[in-house]
């Protein structure tokens, strides 16, 4: 049996005093001096070694990028610094002082702040309440008006728009991420940990965030930045540390790095050539010839309400044929979520029709729609795609446990299920100690893979994919794209909604742009013009785009 | 005619509030415990211990106020015990709560076995608030009570204020909703839960004291007659909101009183009046039934982590 740990009031000793100490310490820290030193960090979880003897240092005023495949141990390493986990071995020094954080509270007191890979926000509270939760300046009595004011001030300063009075459950993934980032900025942390902070941000917000990161570093903050996007790394970081399977591969200055070298460090020598060929494979994607009149999904003049009762989708019509990928580009929060939820039956349509394979399924409920062969990869996978406290296997069979051979009349057929799940785990390269581990214990990217594996494994007729590659590492991203293309070749219809314009353009046969609840400028892939799409994404009307072109004589 | 009706109504309101007060006190405490994520099904047991302790101390010192204090302390100790078992040892909260009921029932009758049938010489007496008590109906209804009823008015308001208008209230709601998110923001989840659960125990003890020192100032075994269970249902009925708990408590109090008032007319109509006596319990069952559907629970705002122990990092 495990030894019984009794977590009785285990907060740090008088955090206010150590906070003051951190503050005064900070005045003596010069640029380039080491503020965080982690030595020989080892962390084991049942069945995996998440970190093995990792040395890591962070200098004052630098942006230090942390790279690695899904499950490499990045989140674990920074969680140890943030006091969420205790290391099995190793030492941590902050501002030269040896520390042992028992909880995030202790880390916060030393001026460390973290943006979590999956926003740690409380759904039923408002944005302001969530921020007031740990804000030192928040007064005890009636803190909200002041906090709301502060939020406005900061969101203007950093270009991260949020509505302080909105309840968190109403927010899109992007909005949640903005709140989470805003929060650490407001807490005035001097050591910032950003764990994949840009996955749900729009390109503009991303630029603003990079700007903010650079400014903060300039002002003397030190930043750990985790991402899977190599161009982001090259753009903002000063140094890069690469992890692979829990071990550190090396630390190099960004000036000496290039994407090819980084991929080699992340994946290991052997794997690289294969990767490249995968890339070229996806480039060589075959264009399907007009597959005739096989309409899989038809949306007609659809109106849908958003959470706040506003018209989120206004008169959208389009069709998706079998063997076709229809891409919807657009900045988050322009009605994509509501549109998708209406199609899969999670949200009522106010007006309009949705037909699947010619059958009217408007407002018919998600189970009916799912049983017609619709796979759904939701935007917020952790909340809507997974049951965190169930095992990997149980999550994988969520869609078909009712059917033969997964279950008999009464009992689940466990041996068939585990066989089937093992196959999926292998095929989708889900890194997990076993299929009986709770999904909560997987790394962020591997959680995504569980959803993908479940949804794509049942030969769906329609795939509704919302940001399908969000949070996946380089190799996995390519793999998912390849999978989608394979599904398409098999004859599935695919509705791809993504903010990543490159992704939409690379995969889709036809592309539409969503802005303010309307779908505009549907065009064939061959006719795509990046400039035109970008303008449409920012709300310039079709007619104006054309005028703009005419003026310039294009 | 009308003046006697006014007096009657005032009287009905008065007794309803009096009967509702122990329900209110216990459910206020439970609102806090559950909002922080700890379910305490043991209210009935803690109320019994509070009632017994309060009675014994009041009887032997002759001072009911001391009895009230003793009941609060006794309730708090049991609440603390529940907190330790549920939070630190991570035991199943339903089982721990049910165990408390049995412990409370047994312990209270053991403690007070020499007092059975004895009435309290100096109980908590109703006091009229000068001026206010002269308002028709309302005056008799709200302002002619013992000190604990007056205290309950203030406690309700203060608890509502703390819950919705202070930083601590945000902490409590956050901890009951998503402890790992609260923890990540530096809120001490364990401490908040300990405080709320202990406070819930103290309030249940106080509720017991009101029964044995003011409402029916004497000792009989099982003096709370299931009010702990009604208070639990009330928490759901109130959707974990202190103000709504007050309204609910007085409604339940009214039904408790009505069974005596309607006895004669019912008998005249040939209906067994003891049927009425089951009303609070039937209402309780209905509320619990409705409140146990997952979808409804979500809609009425049940704390999402209610009943789940928290372990960091998993
Ligand atoms: N709480 C936990 N319990 C058990 N195992 C865990 C836990 N957290 C992480 N792991 C395991 O540790 C390993 C490293 O996970 P980690 O989350 O650090 O990866 P990561 O580098 O952040 O990956 P990603 O890019 O997918 O987010 C994974 O194999 C994961 O399954
Ligand atoms: Mg991670």
């Amino acid at each position: 049996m495990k030894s019984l740990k009794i977590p009785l009031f285990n907060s740090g000793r008088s955090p206010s005093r150590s906070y003051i100490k951190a503050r005064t310490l900070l005045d003596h820290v010069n640029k380039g001096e080491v503020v965080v030193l982690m030595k020989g960090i080892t962390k084991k979880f049942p069945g995996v070694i998440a970190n093995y003897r990792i040395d890591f240092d962070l200098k004052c005023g630098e942006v230090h990028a942390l790279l690695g495949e899904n499950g490499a141990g990045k989140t674990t390493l920074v969680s140890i610094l943030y006091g969420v986990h205790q290391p099995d071995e190793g030492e941590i020094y902050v501002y030269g002082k040896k520390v042992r954080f028992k909880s995030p509270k202790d880390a916060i007191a030393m001026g460390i702040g973290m943006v979590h890979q999956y926003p740690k926000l409380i759904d039923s509270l408002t944005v302001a309440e969530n921020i007031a939760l740990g804000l030192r300046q928040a007064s005890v009595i009636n803190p909200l008006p002041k906090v709301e004011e502060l939020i406005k001030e900061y969101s203007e300063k950093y270009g991260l728009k949020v509505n302080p009075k909105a309840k968190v459950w109403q927010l899109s993934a992007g909005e949640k991420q903005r709140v989470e980032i805003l929060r650490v900025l407001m807490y005035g942390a001097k050591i910032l940990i950003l764990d994949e902070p840009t996955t749900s941000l729009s390109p503009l917000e991303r630029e603003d965030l990079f700007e903010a990161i650079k400014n903060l570093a300039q002002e003397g903050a030190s930043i750990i930045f985790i991402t899977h996007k190599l161009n982001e790394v090259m753009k903002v970081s000063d140094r890069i540390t690469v992890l692979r399977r829990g071990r550190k591969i090396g630390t190099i200055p960004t000036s000496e790095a290039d994407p090819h070298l980084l991929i080699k460090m992340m994946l290991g020598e052997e794997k690289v050539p294969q990767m490249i060929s995968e890339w070229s494979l996806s480039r060589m994607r075959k264009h399907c010839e007009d597959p005739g009149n096989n309409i899989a999904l038809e949306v007609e003049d659809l109106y849908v309400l958003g959470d706040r009762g506003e018209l989120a989708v206004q008169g959208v019509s389009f069709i998706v044929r079998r063997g076709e990928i229809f891409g919807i580009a657009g900045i988050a929060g322009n009605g994509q979520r509501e549109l998708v939820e209406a199609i899969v039956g999670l949200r009522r349509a106010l007006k309009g029709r949705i037909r699947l394979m010619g059958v009217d399924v408007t407002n018919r409920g998600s189970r009916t729609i799912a049983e017609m062969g619709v796979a759904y990869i939701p935007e917020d996978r952790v909340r809507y795609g997974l049951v965190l406290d169930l095992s990997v296997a149980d999550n994988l069979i969520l869609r078909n446990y009712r059917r033969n051979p997964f279950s008999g009349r009464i009992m689940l057929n466990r041996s068939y299920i585990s066989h089937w799940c093992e196959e999926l785990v292998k095929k989708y390269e889900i890194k997990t100690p076993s299929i009986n581990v709770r999904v909560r214990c997987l790394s962020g990217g591997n959680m995504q893979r569980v959803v993908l594996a479940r949804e794509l494994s049942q030969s769906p007729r329609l795939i509704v994919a919302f940001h399908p590659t969000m949070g996946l590492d380089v190799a996995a991203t390519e793999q998912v794209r390849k999978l989608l293309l394979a599904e398409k070749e098999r004859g599935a219809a695919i509705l791809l909604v993504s903010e990543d314009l490159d992704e939409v353009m690379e995969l889709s046969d036809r592309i539409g742009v969503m802005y303010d609840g309307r779908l505009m400028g549907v065009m064939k892939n061959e006719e795509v013009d990046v400039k035109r799409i970008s303008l449409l994404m920012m709300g310039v009307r079709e007619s104006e785009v054309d005028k703009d072109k005419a003026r310039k004589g294009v | 005619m009308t003046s006697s009706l006014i007096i009657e109504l005032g009287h009905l309101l008065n007794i309803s509030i009096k009967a509702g007060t122990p329900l209110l006190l216990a459910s206020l405490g439970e609102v806090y415990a559950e909002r922080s994520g700890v379910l305490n099904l043991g209210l009935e047991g803690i109320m019994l211990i509070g009632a017994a302790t309060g009675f014994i101390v009041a009887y032997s010192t002759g001072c009911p106020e001391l009895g009230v204090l003793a009941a609060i302390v006794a309730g708090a100790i049991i609440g603390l015990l529940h907190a330790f078992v549920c939070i630190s040892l991570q035991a199943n909260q339903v089982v721990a709560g049910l165990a408390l009921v049995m412990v409370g029932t047994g312990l209270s009758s053991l403690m007070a076995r020499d007092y059975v049938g004895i009435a309290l010489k100096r109980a908590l007496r109703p006091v009229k608030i000068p001026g206010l008590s002269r308002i028709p109906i309302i005056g008799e209804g709200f302002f002619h009570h013992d000190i604990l009823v007056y205290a309950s008015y203030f406690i309700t308001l203060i608890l509502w204020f703390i819950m919705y208008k202070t930083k601590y209230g945000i902490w409590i709601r956050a901890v009951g909703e998503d402890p790992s998110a609260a923890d990540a923001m530096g809120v001490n989840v364990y401490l908040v839960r300990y405080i709320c659960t202990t406070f819930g125990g103290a309030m249940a003890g106080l509720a017991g004291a009101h029964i044995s020192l003011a409402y029916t100032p004497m000792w009989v075994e099982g003096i709370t007659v299931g009010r702990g269970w009604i208070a639990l249902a009330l928490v759901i009925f109130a959707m974990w909101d202190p103000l709504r708990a007050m309204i609910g408590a007085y409604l339940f109090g009214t039904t408790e009183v009505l069974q005596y008032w309607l006895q004669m007319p019912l008998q005249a109509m040939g209906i067994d009046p003891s049927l009425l006596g089951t009303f609070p319990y039937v209402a309780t069952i209905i509320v619990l039934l409705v409140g146990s559907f997952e979808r409804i629970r979500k809609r009425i705002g049940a704390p999402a982590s209610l009943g789940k122990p928290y372990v960091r990092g998993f």
Side-chain angles (χ1 to χ4, degrees), chain A residues 45 50 69-76 117 196 228 441-445, chain B residues 313:
Chain A
F45 290 116
E69 292 177 275
N70 291 136
K74 307 177 294 292
T75 301
T76 306
Q117 188 166 1
E196 303 194 28
H228 289 297
C441 297
L442 297 191
S443 84

Side-chain angles (χ1 to χ4, degrees), chain A residues 8 82 102 133 135 140 142, chain B residues 165-167 171 184 194 312:
Chain A
L8 201 68
Y82 193 58
K102 291 202 213 80
L133 207 54
L135 189 66
V140 167
N142 207 14
Chain B
K165 295 287 172 195
T166 69
K167 194 168 167 177
W171 285 5
Y194 257 91
R312 183 177 296 130

Side-chain angles (χ1 to χ4, degrees), chain B residues 136-158:
Chain B
I137 304 181
I138 305 283
E140 173 66 14
F142 284 92
F143 301 108
H144 181 198
H145 283 293
D146 60 88
I147 175 168
L148 287 187
V149 175
Y150 296 129
S152 73
Y153 299 161
F154 288 107
I155 296 175
T156 307
L157 287 179
I158 292 170

Side-chain angles (χ1 to χ4, degrees), chain A residues 220-494:
Chain A
S222 321
I223 294 151
I224 302 174
F225 183 64
I226 301 178
T227 181
H228 289 297
K229 300 203 176 94
L230 298 182
N231 56 344
E232 290 183 356
V233 172
M234 299 301 292
K235 205 188 280 174
V236 290
S237 69
D238 300 307
R239 284 194 301 159
I240 302 169
T241 292
V242 178
L243 303 183
R244 191 199 310 156
R245 301 185 183 210
R247 283 160 209 261
K248 174 166 150 178
I249 300 304
T251 301
I252 51 171
T254 308
S255 52
E256 289 169 22
D258 64 73
H260 193 76
L261 174 69
L262 292 175
I263 289 180
K264 209 157 84 182
M265 287 173 80
M266 282 195 293
L267 303 182
E269 296 287 346
E270 344 55 269
K271 259 194 164 178
V272 178
Q274 182 198 339
M275 269 289 306
I276 304 270
S277 70
E278 273 172 29
W279 271 3
S280 40
L281 201 146
S282 70
R283 294 273 141 67
M284 291 184 322
R285 171 178 78 83
K286 271 187 282 173
H287 276 274
C288 270
E289 292 313 308
D290 187 10
N293 201 16
N294 278 321
I295 296 174
L297 170 68
E298 186 177 0
V299 173
E300 197 186 311
D301 196 29
L302 189 68
Y303 285 80
V304 183
L305 288 185
D307 287 332
R308 275 146 263 160
E310 79 284 9
L311 258 184
V313 177
Q314 314 185 29
V316 167
S317 306
F318 63 90
I319 54 168
V320 189
R321 296 196 177 85
R322 294 189 51 204
E324 176 188 55
I325 300 184
F326 183 72
I328 293 183
I331 296 165
N334 277 297
Q336 296 99 317
R337 178 159 74 108
E338 290 81 0
L339 172 67
V340 163
E341 285 179 356
I343 291 174
V344 298
L346 291 174
R347 191 179 280 272
R348 285 193 68 78
L350 203 63
K351 201 182 133 203
R353 294 269 142 248
I354 299 166
R355 276 184 279 269
L356 276 177
M357 280 52 83
V359 182
D360 189 339
V361 294
T362 323
N363 296 333
R364 285 286 293 283
S366 55
R367 180 153 159 198
T368 319
I369 293 176
E371 277 169 1
M372 290 184 68
V374 176
Y376 174 44
I377 301 164
E379 177 190 33
D380 190 341
R381 270 145 249 193
V382 172
R383 278 230 162 73
Y384 303 114
L386 294 166
V387 187
L388 291 183
D389 286 318
L390 288 187
S391 69
V392 173
D394 288 344
N395 270 284
L396 283 173
I397 59 163
L398 274 185
R399 274 222 192 259
N400 30 23
Y401 67 91
R402 276 188 230 102
R403 279 205 300 266
N404 223 335
F406 294 91
S407 58
R409 220 169 261 276
I410 300 169
M411 306 272 279
L412 287 173
N413 184 352
R414 278 287 167 195
S415 68
Y416 179 82
I417 289 172
S418 52
H419 174 74
W420 189 77
C421 292
E422 296 284 2
E423 295 276 288
L424 281 189
V425 166
K426 225 177 284 156
K427 179 165 173 211
Y428 290 85
E429 294 175 33
I430 302 170
K431 280 186 203 113
T432 169
S434 95
I435 57 166
N436 298 317
V437 167
R438 284 187 305 163
V439 162
R440 189 182 287 285
C441 297
L442 297 191
S443 84
N446 282 303
M447 289 186 194
Q448 315 274 33
R449 291 179 195 209
V450 172
V451 177
L452 285 165
R454 181 183 66 219
E455 296 298 322
L456 297 184
S457 62
Q458 33 212 326
S459 339
R461 292 201 264 184
L462 171 69
I463 300 171
V464 179
F466 207 149
H467 303 328
T469 58
M470 186 176 81
L472 294 183
D473 63 32
V474 190
T477 301
E478 277 312 302
Q479 203 206 350
V480 167
R481 292 181 183 176
K482 244 175 52 183
L483 276 168
L484 286 179
L485 289 173
E487 286 295 313
K488 160 190 150 159
E489 235 139 83
R490 189 182 56 76
I494 298 173

